[in-house]
Amino acid sequence: MRVTETEALCAANRTASARLRPSESATSRAPKSYCQRQIEQKGLRITLDFRCGHDFCTRDHYALMSVLKNLVVNAVEAVESGAGQGTILIREEKDGPSYRFTVEDDGPGISARHLDYIFTMGFSTKFDEKTGSIARGVGLPGVKMTVEEQLGGTIGVETRPGLCTRFTILIPAARLEEANE
């Protein structure tokens, strides 16, 4: 099954075969995404801003959606841990021979002392003082592994503690598009 990535990215986990023009707003036409439902259930004031620039088809849809969903869920949690309101920008654009996917939030950022460890299996800063529960620390390492090993891309992070965090993924267009064959 061929899935249009612009639609998949903007609709977050919706599988379809119709193509969308980049200017169309798939979020207004598609069922609400998992992340949007979580935001509403928690009563947060977080805006998900999808900016999808190119339409392409790939069979790596599930890997790509898994990566993006994890990054958006983390961004929601980051904004929630800060002011509980903010914006998360999810962007897709063609950058020369690659597709660039960016997930950026205006949450509290990542502290310098944690930055070197965020892609390390088992590392987590998510601790619930009420229950004593700590997150497993498998999300970002899984994202990195999927991006690099399954999709042949790279992932990077930029952060300004107290202001924002931006994850940038570059995946060779030929790699995503060759998955169509």
Side-chain angles (χ1 to χ4, degrees), residues 50-78:
F50 292 90
R51 298 183 187 177
C52 305
H54 290 83
D55 189 17
F56 65 94
C57 294
T58 185
R59 292 207 170 123
D60 283 329
H61 163 75
Y62 294 108
L64 186 57
M65 290 302 94
S66 176
V67 163
L68 294 171
K69 181 179 175 185
N70 183 285
L71 293 175
V72 173
V73 167
N74 284 354
V76 168
E77 291 172 354

mmCIF file with all atom_site columns, all heavy atoms in Angstrom, residues 50-78:
data_model
loop_
_atom_site.group_PDB
_atom_site.id
_atom_site.type_symbol
_atom_site.label_atom_id
_atom_site.label_alt_id
_atom_site.label_comp_id
_atom_site.label_asym_id
_atom_site.label_entity_id
_atom_site.label_seq_id
_atom_site.pdbx_PDB_ins_code
_atom_site.Cartn_x
_atom_site.Cartn_y
_atom_site.Cartn_z
_atom_site.occupancy
_atom_site.B_iso_or_equiv
_atom_site.pdbx_formal_charge
_atom_site.auth_seq_id
_atom_site.auth_comp_id
_atom_site.auth_asym_id
_atom_site.auth_atom_id
_atom_site.pdbx_PDB_model_num
ATOM 1   N N   . PHE A 1 50 ? 1.208  22.074 11.843 1.00 0.00 ? 50 PHE A N   1
ATOM 2   C CA  . PHE A 1 50 ? 1.799  21.226 10.810 1.00 0.00 ? 50 PHE A CA  1
ATOM 3   C C   . PHE A 1 50 ? 2.061  22.047 9.561  1.00 0.00 ? 50 PHE A C   1
ATOM 4   O O   . PHE A 1 50 ? 1.164  22.718 9.056  1.00 0.00 ? 50 PHE A O   1
ATOM 5   C CB  . PHE A 1 50 ? 0.846  20.073 10.467 1.00 0.00 ? 50 PHE A CB  1
ATOM 6   C CG  . PHE A 1 50 ? 0.685  19.080 11.569 1.00 0.00 ? 50 PHE A CG  1
ATOM 7   C CD1 . PHE A 1 50 ? -0.310 19.238 12.519 1.00 0.00 ? 50 PHE A CD1 1
ATOM 8   C CD2 . PHE A 1 50 ? 1.523  17.980 11.657 1.00 0.00 ? 50 PHE A CD2 1
ATOM 9   C CE1 . PHE A 1 50 ? -0.477 18.317 13.543 1.00 0.00 ? 50 PHE A CE1 1
ATOM 10  C CE2 . PHE A 1 50 ? 1.364  17.062 12.679 1.00 0.00 ? 50 PHE A CE2 1
ATOM 11  C CZ  . PHE A 1 50 ? 0.369  17.223 13.618 1.00 0.00 ? 50 PHE A CZ  1
ATOM 12  N N   . ARG A 1 51 ? 3.289  21.968 9.056  1.00 0.00 ? 51 ARG A N   1
ATOM 13  C CA  . ARG A 1 51 ? 3.658  22.652 7.817  1.00 0.00 ? 51 ARG A CA  1
ATOM 14  C C   . ARG A 1 51 ? 4.325  21.622 6.909  1.00 0.00 ? 51 ARG A C   1
ATOM 15  O O   . ARG A 1 51 ? 5.503  21.314 7.068  1.00 0.00 ? 51 ARG A O   1
ATOM 16  C CB  . ARG A 1 51 ? 4.593  23.808 8.095  1.00 0.00 ? 51 ARG A CB  1
ATOM 17  C CG  . ARG A 1 51 ? 3.939  24.857 8.968  1.00 0.00 ? 51 ARG A CG  1
ATOM 18  C CD  . ARG A 1 51 ? 4.815  26.035 9.197  1.00 0.00 ? 51 ARG A CD  1
ATOM 19  N NE  . ARG A 1 51 ? 4.195  26.922 10.172 1.00 0.00 ? 51 ARG A NE  1
ATOM 20  C CZ  . ARG A 1 51 ? 4.761  28.015 10.618 1.00 0.00 ? 51 ARG A CZ  1
ATOM 21  N NH1 . ARG A 1 51 ? 5.956  28.360 10.187 1.00 0.00 ? 51 ARG A NH1 1
ATOM 22  N NH2 . ARG A 1 51 ? 4.139  28.756 11.503 1.00 0.00 ? 51 ARG A NH2 1
ATOM 23  N N   . CYS A 1 52 ? 3.540  21.108 5.996  1.00 0.00 ? 52 CYS A N   1
ATOM 24  C CA  . CYS A 1 52 ? 4.007  20.045 5.111  1.00 0.00 ? 52 CYS A CA  1
ATOM 25  C C   . CYS A 1 52 ? 4.228  20.619 3.726  1.00 0.00 ? 52 CYS A C   1
ATOM 26  O O   . CYS A 1 52 ? 3.294  21.109 3.105  1.00 0.00 ? 52 CYS A O   1
ATOM 27  C CB  . CYS A 1 52 ? 2.985  18.916 5.081  1.00 0.00 ? 52 CYS A CB  1
ATOM 28  S SG  . CYS A 1 52 ? 2.605  18.295 6.730  1.00 0.00 ? 52 CYS A SG  1
ATOM 29  N N   . GLY A 1 53 ? 5.466  20.559 3.258  1.00 0.00 ? 53 GLY A N   1
ATOM 30  C CA  . GLY A 1 53 ? 5.819  21.218 2.011  1.00 0.00 ? 53 GLY A CA  1
ATOM 31  C C   . GLY A 1 53 ? 5.815  20.360 0.773  1.00 0.00 ? 53 GLY A C   1
ATOM 32  O O   . GLY A 1 53 ? 5.696  20.881 -0.324 1.00 0.00 ? 53 GLY A O   1
ATOM 33  N N   . HIS A 1 54 ? 5.952  19.042 0.900  1.00 0.00 ? 54 HIS A N   1
ATOM 34  C CA  . HIS A 1 54 ? 6.062  18.193 -0.283 1.00 0.00 ? 54 HIS A CA  1
ATOM 35  C C   . HIS A 1 54 ? 5.223  16.940 -0.135 1.00 0.00 ? 54 HIS A C   1
ATOM 36  O O   . HIS A 1 54 ? 5.091  16.390 0.949  1.00 0.00 ? 54 HIS A O   1
ATOM 37  C CB  . HIS A 1 54 ? 7.524  17.808 -0.538 1.00 0.00 ? 54 HIS A CB  1
ATOM 38  C CG  . HIS A 1 54 ? 8.338  18.962 -0.994 1.00 0.00 ? 54 HIS A CG  1
ATOM 39  N ND1 . HIS A 1 54 ? 8.875  19.872 -0.118 1.00 0.00 ? 54 HIS A ND1 1
ATOM 40  C CD2 . HIS A 1 54 ? 8.669  19.382 -2.231 1.00 0.00 ? 54 HIS A CD2 1
ATOM 41  C CE1 . HIS A 1 54 ? 9.517  20.796 -0.810 1.00 0.00 ? 54 HIS A CE1 1
ATOM 42  N NE2 . HIS A 1 54 ? 9.412  20.521 -2.091 1.00 0.00 ? 54 HIS A NE2 1
ATOM 43  N N   . ASP A 1 55 ? 4.730  16.507 -1.245 1.00 0.00 ? 55 ASP A N   1
ATOM 44  C CA  . ASP A 1 55 ? 3.914  15.320 -1.319 1.00 0.00 ? 55 ASP A CA  1
ATOM 45  C C   . ASP A 1 55 ? 4.771  14.186 -1.872 1.00 0.00 ? 55 ASP A C   1
ATOM 46  O O   . ASP A 1 55 ? 5.389  14.340 -2.920 1.00 0.00 ? 55 ASP A O   1
ATOM 47  C CB  . ASP A 1 55 ? 2.740  15.615 -2.253 1.00 0.00 ? 55 ASP A CB  1
ATOM 48  C CG  . ASP A 1 55 ? 1.696  14.542 -2.256 1.00 0.00 ? 55 ASP A CG  1
ATOM 49  O OD1 . ASP A 1 55 ? 1.685  13.718 -1.325 1.00 0.00 ? 55 ASP A OD1 1
ATOM 50  O OD2 . ASP A 1 55 ? 0.886  14.533 -3.186 1.00 0.00 ? 55 ASP A OD2 1
ATOM 51  N N   . PHE A 1 56 ? 4.867  13.094 -1.155 1.00 0.00 ? 56 PHE A N   1
ATOM 52  C CA  . PHE A 1 56 ? 5.604  11.942 -1.658 1.00 0.00 ? 56 PHE A CA  1
ATOM 53  C C   . PHE A 1 56 ? 5.004  10.681 -1.075 1.00 0.00 ? 56 PHE A C   1
ATOM 54  O O   . PHE A 1 56 ? 4.280  10.725 -0.083 1.00 0.00 ? 56 PHE A O   1
ATOM 55  C CB  . PHE A 1 56 ? 7.094  12.035 -1.340 1.00 0.00 ? 56 PHE A CB  1
ATOM 56  C CG  . PHE A 1 56 ? 7.428  11.985 0.125  1.00 0.00 ? 56 PHE A CG  1
ATOM 57  C CD1 . PHE A 1 56 ? 7.755  10.785 0.743  1.00 0.00 ? 56 PHE A CD1 1
ATOM 58  C CD2 . PHE A 1 56 ? 7.420  13.138 0.890  1.00 0.00 ? 56 PHE A CD2 1
ATOM 59  C CE1 . PHE A 1 56 ? 8.069  10.742 2.092  1.00 0.00 ? 56 PHE A CE1 1
ATOM 60  C CE2 . PHE A 1 56 ? 7.731  13.104 2.233  1.00 0.00 ? 56 PHE A CE2 1
ATOM 61  C CZ  . PHE A 1 56 ? 8.054  11.899 2.843  1.00 0.00 ? 56 PHE A CZ  1
ATOM 62  N N   . CYS A 1 57 ? 5.294  9.573  -1.715 1.00 0.00 ? 57 CYS A N   1
ATOM 63  C CA  . CYS A 1 57 ? 4.795  8.279  -1.250 1.00 0.00 ? 57 CYS A CA  1
ATOM 64  C C   . CYS A 1 57 ? 5.974  7.435  -0.792 1.00 0.00 ? 57 CYS A C   1
ATOM 65  O O   . CYS A 1 57 ? 7.062  7.512  -1.352 1.00 0.00 ? 57 CYS A O   1
ATOM 66  C CB  . CYS A 1 57 ? 4.076  7.552  -2.375 1.00 0.00 ? 57 CYS A CB  1
ATOM 67  S SG  . CYS A 1 57 ? 2.577  8.371  -2.909 1.00 0.00 ? 57 CYS A SG  1
ATOM 68  N N   . THR A 1 58 ? 5.736  6.631  0.244  1.00 0.00 ? 58 THR A N   1
ATOM 69  C CA  . THR A 1 58 ? 6.772  5.732  0.734  1.00 0.00 ? 58 THR A CA  1
ATOM 70  C C   . THR A 1 58 ? 6.126  4.533  1.396  1.00 0.00 ? 58 THR A C   1
ATOM 71  O O   . THR A 1 58 ? 5.004  4.615  1.896  1.00 0.00 ? 58 THR A O   1
ATOM 72  C CB  . THR A 1 58 ? 7.711  6.445  1.733  1.00 0.00 ? 58 THR A CB  1
ATOM 73  O OG1 . THR A 1 58 ? 8.768  5.554  2.090  1.00 0.00 ? 58 THR A OG1 1
ATOM 74  C CG2 . THR A 1 58 ? 6.979  6.895  2.983  1.00 0.00 ? 58 THR A CG2 1
ATOM 75  N N   . ARG A 1 59 ? 6.853  3.445  1.419  1.00 0.00 ? 59 ARG A N   1
ATOM 76  C CA  . ARG A 1 59 ? 6.389  2.275  2.161  1.00 0.00 ? 59 ARG A CA  1
ATOM 77  C C   . ARG A 1 59 ? 6.956  2.273  3.576  1.00 0.00 ? 59 ARG A C   1
ATOM 78  O O   . ARG A 1 59 ? 6.623  1.402  4.369  1.00 0.00 ? 59 ARG A O   1
ATOM 79  C CB  . ARG A 1 59 ? 6.786  1.000  1.425  1.00 0.00 ? 59 ARG A CB  1
ATOM 80  C CG  . ARG A 1 59 ? 6.019  0.875  0.130  1.00 0.00 ? 59 ARG A CG  1
ATOM 81  C CD  . ARG A 1 59 ? 5.847  -0.545 -0.305 1.00 0.00 ? 59 ARG A CD  1
ATOM 82  N NE  . ARG A 1 59 ? 4.905  -0.549 -1.404 1.00 0.00 ? 59 ARG A NE  1
ATOM 83  C CZ  . ARG A 1 59 ? 5.159  -1.033 -2.598 1.00 0.00 ? 59 ARG A CZ  1
ATOM 84  N NH1 . ARG A 1 59 ? 6.318  -1.595 -2.838 1.00 0.00 ? 59 ARG A NH1 1
ATOM 85  N NH2 . ARG A 1 59 ? 4.251  -0.985 -3.534 1.00 0.00 ? 59 ARG A NH2 1
ATOM 86  N N   . ASP A 1 60 ? 7.793  3.243  3.889  1.00 0.00 ? 60 ASP A N   1
ATOM 87  C CA  . ASP A 1 60 ? 8.358  3.370  5.241  1.00 0.00 ? 60 ASP A CA  1
ATOM 88  C C   . ASP A 1 60 ? 7.465  4.237  6.129  1.00 0.00 ? 60 ASP A C   1
ATOM 89  O O   . ASP A 1 60 ? 7.924  4.834  7.099  1.00 0.00 ? 60 ASP A O   1
ATOM 90  C CB  . ASP A 1 60 ? 9.768  3.959  5.181  1.00 0.00 ? 60 ASP A CB  1
ATOM 91  C CG  . ASP A 1 60 ? 10.799 2.952  4.745  1.00 0.00 ? 60 ASP A CG  1
ATOM 92  O OD1 . ASP A 1 60 ? 10.610 1.755  5.051  1.00 0.00 ? 60 ASP A OD1 1
ATOM 93  O OD2 . ASP A 1 60 ? 11.785 3.349  4.108  1.00 0.00 ? 60 ASP A OD2 1
ATOM 94  N N   . HIS A 1 61 ? 6.205  4.300  5.797  1.00 0.00 ? 61 HIS A N   1
ATOM 95  C CA  . HIS A 1 61 ? 5.243  5.122  6.521  1.00 0.00 ? 61 HIS A CA  1
ATOM 96  C C   . HIS A 1 61 ? 5.249  4.842  8.027  1.00 0.00 ? 61 HIS A C   1
ATOM 97  O O   . HIS A 1 61 ? 5.305  5.760  8.835  1.00 0.00 ? 61 HIS A O   1
ATOM 98  C CB  . HIS A 1 61 ? 3.846  4.881  5.937  1.00 0.00 ? 61 HIS A CB  1
ATOM 99  C CG  . HIS A 1 61 ? 2.726  5.323  6.810  1.00 0.00 ? 61 HIS A CG  1
ATOM 100 N ND1 . HIS A 1 61 ? 2.389  6.650  6.962  1.00 0.00 ? 61 HIS A ND1 1
ATOM 101 C CD2 . HIS A 1 61 ? 1.875  4.634  7.600  1.00 0.00 ? 61 HIS A CD2 1
ATOM 102 C CE1 . HIS A 1 61 ? 1.372  6.737  7.795  1.00 0.00 ? 61 HIS A CE1 1
ATOM 103 N NE2 . HIS A 1 61 ? 1.035  5.542  8.199  1.00 0.00 ? 61 HIS A NE2 1
ATOM 104 N N   . TYR A 1 62 ? 5.176  3.574  8.409  1.00 0.00 ? 62 TYR A N   1
ATOM 105 C CA  . TYR A 1 62 ? 5.043  3.254  9.838  1.00 0.00 ? 62 TYR A CA  1
ATOM 106 C C   . TYR A 1 62 ? 6.287  3.631  10.630 1.00 0.00 ? 62 TYR A C   1
ATOM 107 O O   . TYR A 1 62 ? 6.183  4.133  11.745 1.00 0.00 ? 62 TYR A O   1
ATOM 108 C CB  . TYR A 1 62 ? 4.669  1.785  10.031 1.00 0.00 ? 62 TYR A CB  1
ATOM 109 C CG  . TYR A 1 62 ? 3.289  1.507  9.488  1.00 0.00 ? 62 TYR A CG  1
ATOM 110 C CD1 . TYR A 1 62 ? 3.097  0.776  8.330  1.00 0.00 ? 62 TYR A CD1 1
ATOM 111 C CD2 . TYR A 1 62 ? 2.161  2.041  10.118 1.00 0.00 ? 62 TYR A CD2 1
ATOM 112 C CE1 . TYR A 1 62 ? 1.830  0.562  7.812  1.00 0.00 ? 62 TYR A CE1 1
ATOM 113 C CE2 . TYR A 1 62 ? 0.891  1.838  9.609  1.00 0.00 ? 62 TYR A CE2 1
ATOM 114 C CZ  . TYR A 1 62 ? 0.732  1.094  8.462  1.00 0.00 ? 62 TYR A CZ  1
ATOM 115 O OH  . TYR A 1 62 ? -0.517 0.897  7.944  1.00 0.00 ? 62 TYR A OH  1
ATOM 116 N N   . ALA A 1 63 ? 7.456  3.415  10.061 1.00 0.00 ? 63 ALA A N   1
ATOM 117 C CA  . ALA A 1 63 ? 8.689  3.819  10.748 1.00 0.00 ? 63 ALA A CA  1
ATOM 118 C C   . ALA A 1 63 ? 8.733  5.335  10.913 1.00 0.00 ? 63 ALA A C   1
ATOM 119 O O   . ALA A 1 63 ? 9.031  5.854  11.994 1.00 0.00 ? 63 ALA A O   1
ATOM 120 C CB  . ALA A 1 63 ? 9.919  3.328  9.981  1.00 0.00 ? 63 ALA A CB  1
ATOM 121 N N   . LEU A 1 64 ? 8.414  6.045  9.836  1.00 0.00 ? 64 LEU A N   1
ATOM 122 C CA  . LEU A 1 64 ? 8.445  7.507  9.881  1.00 0.00 ? 64 LEU A CA  1
ATOM 123 C C   . LEU A 1 64 ? 7.411  8.049  10.857 1.00 0.00 ? 64 LEU A C   1
ATOM 124 O O   . LEU A 1 64 ? 7.696  8.939  11.661 1.00 0.00 ? 64 LEU A O   1
ATOM 125 C CB  . LEU A 1 64 ? 8.219  8.075  8.478  1.00 0.00 ? 64 LEU A CB  1
ATOM 126 C CG  . LEU A 1 64 ? 8.357  9.578  8.318  1.00 0.00 ? 64 LEU A CG  1
ATOM 127 C CD1 . LEU A 1 64 ? 9.724  10.070 8.774  1.00 0.00 ? 64 LEU A CD1 1
ATOM 128 C CD2 . LEU A 1 64 ? 8.102  9.962  6.859  1.00 0.00 ? 64 LEU A CD2 1
ATOM 129 N N   . MET A 1 65 ? 6.200  7.504  10.839 1.00 0.00 ? 65 MET A N   1
ATOM 130 C CA  . MET A 1 65 ? 5.156  7.967  11.760 1.00 0.00 ? 65 MET A CA  1
ATOM 131 C C   . MET A 1 65 ? 5.517  7.643  13.208 1.00 0.00 ? 65 MET A C   1
ATOM 132 O O   . MET A 1 65 ? 5.241  8.422  14.112 1.00 0.00 ? 65 MET A O   1
ATOM 133 C CB  . MET A 1 65 ? 3.805  7.354  11.412 1.00 0.00 ? 65 MET A CB  1
ATOM 134 C CG  . MET A 1 65 ? 3.203  7.883  10.116 1.00 0.00 ? 65 MET A CG  1
ATOM 135 S SD  . MET A 1 65 ? 2.959  9.680  10.091 1.00 0.00 ? 65 MET A SD  1
ATOM 136 C CE  . MET A 1 65 ? 4.466  10.222 9.304  1.00 0.00 ? 65 MET A CE  1
ATOM 137 N N   . SER A 1 66 ? 6.152  6.510  13.451 1.00 0.00 ? 66 SER A N   1
ATOM 138 C CA  . SER A 1 66 ? 6.581  6.152  14.798 1.00 0.00 ? 66 SER A CA  1
ATOM 139 C C   . SER A 1 66 ? 7.583  7.171  15.338 1.00 0.00 ? 66 SER A C   1
ATOM 140 O O   . SER A 1 66 ? 7.485  7.622  16.482 1.00 0.00 ? 66 SER A O   1
ATOM 141 C CB  . SER A 1 66 ? 7.188  4.745  14.779 1.00 0.00 ? 66 SER A CB  1
ATOM 142 O OG  . SER A 1 66 ? 7.688  4.414  16.045 1.00 0.00 ? 66 SER A OG  1
ATOM 143 N N   . VAL A 1 67 ? 8.528  7.541  14.504 1.00 0.00 ? 67 VAL A N   1
ATOM 144 C CA  . VAL A 1 67 ? 9.538  8.530  14.882 1.00 0.00 ? 67 VAL A CA  1
ATOM 145 C C   . VAL A 1 67 ? 8.879  9.870  15.191 1.00 0.00 ? 67 VAL A C   1
ATOM 146 O O   . VAL A 1 67 ? 9.119  10.481 16.241 1.00 0.00 ? 67 VAL A O   1
ATOM 147 C CB  . VAL A 1 67 ? 10.587 8.677  13.751 1.00 0.00 ? 67 VAL A CB  1
ATOM 148 C CG1 . VAL A 1 67 ? 11.403 9.944  13.894 1.00 0.00 ? 67 VAL A CG1 1
ATOM 149 C CG2 . VAL A 1 67 ? 11.488 7.447  13.709 1.00 0.00 ? 67 VAL A CG2 1
ATOM 150 N N   . LEU A 1 68 ? 8.037  10.341 14.274 1.00 0.00 ? 68 LEU A N   1
ATOM 151 C CA  . LEU A 1 68 ? 7.415  11.652 14.461 1.00 0.00 ? 68 LEU A CA  1
ATOM 152 C C   . LEU A 1 68 ? 6.462  11.667 15.642 1.00 0.00 ? 68 LEU A C   1
ATOM 153 O O   . LEU A 1 68 ? 6.429  12.637 16.405 1.00 0.00 ? 68 LEU A O   1
ATOM 154 C CB  . LEU A 1 68 ? 6.707  12.083 13.176 1.00 0.00 ? 68 LEU A CB  1
ATOM 155 C CG  . LEU A 1 68 ? 7.654  12.340 12.004 1.00 0.00 ? 68 LEU A CG  1
ATOM 156 C CD1 . LEU A 1 68 ? 6.863  12.556 10.718 1.00 0.00 ? 68 LEU A CD1 1
ATOM 157 C CD2 . LEU A 1 68 ? 8.584  13.508 12.282 1.00 0.00 ? 68 LEU A CD2 1
ATOM 158 N N   . LYS A 1 69 ? 5.703  10.598 15.817 1.00 0.00 ? 69 LYS A N   1
ATOM 159 C CA  . LYS A 1 69 ? 4.772  10.551 16.951 1.00 0.00 ? 69 LYS A CA  1
ATOM 160 C C   . LYS A 1 69 ? 5.543  10.615 18.273 1.00 0.00 ? 69 LYS A C   1
ATOM 161 O O   . LYS A 1 69 ? 5.152  11.336 19.190 1.00 0.00 ? 69 LYS A O   1
ATOM 162 C CB  . LYS A 1 69 ? 3.922  9.287  16.898 1.00 0.00 ? 69 LYS A CB  1
ATOM 163 C CG  . LYS A 1 69 ? 2.914  9.210  18.036 1.00 0.00 ? 69 LYS A CG  1
ATOM 164 C CD  . LYS A 1 69 ? 2.062  7.958  17.937 1.00 0.00 ? 69 LYS A CD  1
ATOM 165 C CE  . LYS A 1 69 ? 1.148  7.835  19.134 1.00 0.00 ? 69 LYS A CE  1
ATOM 166 N NZ  . LYS A 1 69 ? 0.394  6.579  19.108 1.00 0.00 ? 69 LYS A NZ  1
ATOM 167 N N   . ASN A 1 70 ? 6.645  9.878  18.371 1.00 0.00 ? 70 ASN A N   1
ATOM 168 C CA  . ASN A 1 70 ? 7.438  9.907  19.603 1.00 0.00 ? 70 ASN A CA  1
ATOM 169 C C   . ASN A 1 70 ? 7.948  11.314 19.880 1.00 0.00 ? 70 ASN A C   1
ATOM 170 O O   . ASN A 1 70 ? 7.868  11.799 21.017 1.00 0.00 ? 70 ASN A O   1
ATOM 171 C CB  . ASN A 1 70 ? 8.608  8.925  19.508 1.00 0.00 ? 70 ASN A CB  1
ATOM 172 C CG  . ASN A 1 70 ? 9.404  8.879  20.785 1.00 0.00 ? 70 ASN A CG  1
ATOM 173 O OD1 . ASN A 1 70 ? 10.168 9.790  21.085 1.00 0.00 ? 70 ASN A OD1 1
ATOM 174 N ND2 . ASN A 1 70 ? 9.219  7.817  21.546 1.00 0.00 ? 70 ASN A ND2 1
ATOM 175 N N   . LEU A 1 71 ? 8.455  11.987 18.862 1.00 0.00 ? 71 LEU A N   1
ATOM 176 C CA  . LEU A 1 71 ? 8.980  13.338 19.063 1.00 0.00 ? 71 LEU A CA  1
ATOM 177 C C   . LEU A 1 71 ? 7.872  14.318 19.441 1.00 0.00 ? 71 LEU A C   1
ATOM 178 O O   . LEU A 1 71 ? 8.080  15.194 20.293 1.00 0.00 ? 71 LEU A O   1
ATOM 179 C CB  . LEU A 1 71 ? 9.722  13.813 17.816 1.00 0.00 ? 71 LEU A CB  1
ATOM 180 C CG  . LEU A 1 71 ? 11.015 13.059 17.494 1.00 0.00 ? 71 LEU A CG  1
ATOM 181 C CD1 . LEU A 1 71 ? 11.591 13.539 16.167 1.00 0.00 ? 71 LEU A CD1 1
ATOM 182 C CD2 . LEU A 1 71 ? 12.034 13.198 18.620 1.00 0.00 ? 71 LEU A CD2 1
ATOM 183 N N   . VAL A 1 72 ? 6.694  14.179 18.839 1.00 0.00 ? 72 VAL A N   1
ATOM 184 C CA  . VAL A 1 72 ? 5.588  15.087 19.172 1.00 0.00 ? 72 VAL A CA  1
ATOM 185 C C   . VAL A 1 72 ? 5.079  14.811 20.583 1.00 0.00 ? 72 VAL A C   1
ATOM 186 O O   . VAL A 1 72 ? 4.815  15.741 21.346 1.00 0.00 ? 72 VAL A O   1
ATOM 187 C CB  . VAL A 1 72 ? 4.460  15.007 18.125 1.00 0.00 ? 72 VAL A CB  1
ATOM 188 C CG1 . VAL A 1 72 ? 3.254  15.817 18.569 1.00 0.00 ? 72 VAL A CG1 1
ATOM 189 C CG2 . VAL A 1 72 ? 4.957  15.497 16.766 1.00 0.00 ? 72 VAL A CG2 1
ATOM 190 N N   . VAL A 1 73 ? 4.960  13.540 20.958 1.00 0.00 ? 73 VAL A N   1
ATOM 191 C CA  . VAL A 1 73 ? 4.536  13.205 22.330 1.00 0.00 ? 73 VAL A CA  1
ATOM 192 C C   . VAL A 1 73 ? 5.526  13.787 23.334 1.00 0.00 ? 73 VAL A C   1
ATOM 193 O O   . VAL A 1 73 ? 5.124  14.373 24.348 1.00 0.00 ? 73 VAL A O   1
ATOM 194 C CB  . VAL A 1 73 ? 4.383  11.678 22.510 1.00 0.00 ? 73 VAL A CB  1
ATOM 195 C CG1 . VAL A 1 73 ? 4.267  11.307 23.981 1.00 0.00 ? 73 VAL A CG1 1
ATOM 196 C CG2 . VAL A 1 73 ? 3.169  11.174 21.748 1.00 0.00 ? 73 VAL A CG2 1
ATOM 197 N N   . ASN A 1 74 ? 6.823  13.651 23.067 1.00 0.00 ? 74 ASN A N   1
ATOM 198 C CA  . ASN A 1 74 ? 7.831  14.238 23.961 1.00 0.00 ? 74 ASN A CA  1
ATOM 199 C C   . ASN A 1 74 ? 7.692  15.753 24.032 1.00 0.00 ? 74 ASN A C   1
ATOM 200 O O   . ASN A 1 74 ? 7.834  16.348 25.113 1.00 0.00 ? 74 ASN A O   1
ATOM 201 C CB  . ASN A 1 74 ? 9.237  13.872 23.498 1.00 0.00 ? 74 ASN A CB  1
ATOM 202 C CG  . ASN A 1 74 ? 9.629  12.459 23.831 1.00 0.00 ? 74 ASN A CG  1
ATOM 203 O OD1 . ASN A 1 74 ? 8.913  11.737 24.516 1.00 0.00 ? 74 ASN A OD1 1
ATOM 204 N ND2 . ASN A 1 74 ? 10.777 12.039 23.323 1.00 0.00 ? 74 ASN A ND2 1
ATOM 205 N N   . ALA A 1 75 ? 7.404  16.386 22.890 1.00 0.00 ? 75 ALA A N   1
ATOM 206 C CA  . ALA A 1 75 ? 7.233  17.841 22.876 1.00 0.00 ? 75 ALA A CA  1
ATOM 207 C C   . ALA A 1 75 ? 6.016  18.255 23.701 1.00 0.00 ? 75 ALA A C   1
ATOM 208 O O   . ALA A 1 75 ? 6.076  19.238 24.447 1.00 0.00 ? 75 ALA A O   1
ATOM 209 C CB  . ALA A 1 75 ? 7.112  18.339 21.435 1.00 0.00 ? 75 ALA A CB  1
ATOM 210 N N   . VAL A 1 76 ? 4.927  17.498 23.577 1.00 0.00 ? 76 VAL A N   1
ATOM 211 C CA  . VAL A 1 76 ? 3.733  17.789 24.381 1.00 0.00 ? 76 VAL A CA  1
ATOM 212 C C   . VAL A 1 76 ? 4.087  17.690 25.869 1.00 0.00 ? 76 VAL A C   1
ATOM 213 O O   . VAL A 1 76 ? 3.732  18.568 26.663 1.00 0.00 ? 76 VAL A O   1
ATOM 214 C CB  . VAL A 1 76 ? 2.568  16.837 24.027 1.00 0.00 ? 76 VAL A CB  1
ATOM 215 C CG1 . VAL A 1 76 ? 1.437  16.946 25.050 1.00 0.00 ? 76 VAL A CG1 1
ATOM 216 C CG2 . VAL A 1 76 ? 2.049  17.130 22.624 1.00 0.00 ? 76 VAL A CG2 1
ATOM 217 N N   . GLU A 1 77 ? 4.781  16.629 26.254 1.00 0.00 ? 77 GLU A N   1
ATOM 218 C CA  . GLU A 1 77 ? 5.165  16.452 27.658 1.00 0.00 ? 77 GLU A CA  1
ATOM 219 C C   . GLU A 1 77 ? 6.093  17.575 28.126 1.00 0.00 ? 77 GLU A C   1
ATOM 220 O O   . GLU A 1 77 ? 5.997  18.031 29.267 1.00 0.00 ? 77 GLU A O   1
ATOM 221 C CB  . GLU A 1 77 ? 5.817  15.094 27.859 1.00 0.00 ? 77 GLU A CB  1
ATOM 222 C CG  . GLU A 1 77 ? 4.835  13.942 27.700 1.00 0.00 ? 77 GLU A CG  1
ATOM 223 C CD  . GLU A 1 77 ? 5.493  12.575 27.711 1.00 0.00 ? 77 GLU A CD  1
ATOM 224 O OE1 . GLU A 1 77 ? 6.735  12.477 27.726 1.00 0.00 ? 77 GLU A OE1 1
ATOM 225 O OE2 . GLU A 1 77 ? 4.746  11.579 27.701 1.00 0.00 ? 77 GLU A OE2 1
ATOM 226 N N   . ALA A 1 78 ? 6.978  18.031 27.245 1.00 0.00 ? 78 ALA A N   1
ATOM 227 C CA  . ALA A 1 78 ? 7.890  19.122 27.608 1.00 0.00 ? 78 ALA A CA  1
ATOM 228 C C   . ALA A 1 78 ? 7.115  20.415 27.845 1.00 0.00 ? 78 ALA A C   1
ATOM 229 O O   . ALA A 1 78 ? 7.331  21.102 28.852 1.00 0.00 ? 78 ALA A O   1
ATOM 230 C CB  . ALA A 1 78 ? 8.935  19.323 26.513 1.00 0.00 ? 78 ALA A CB  1
#
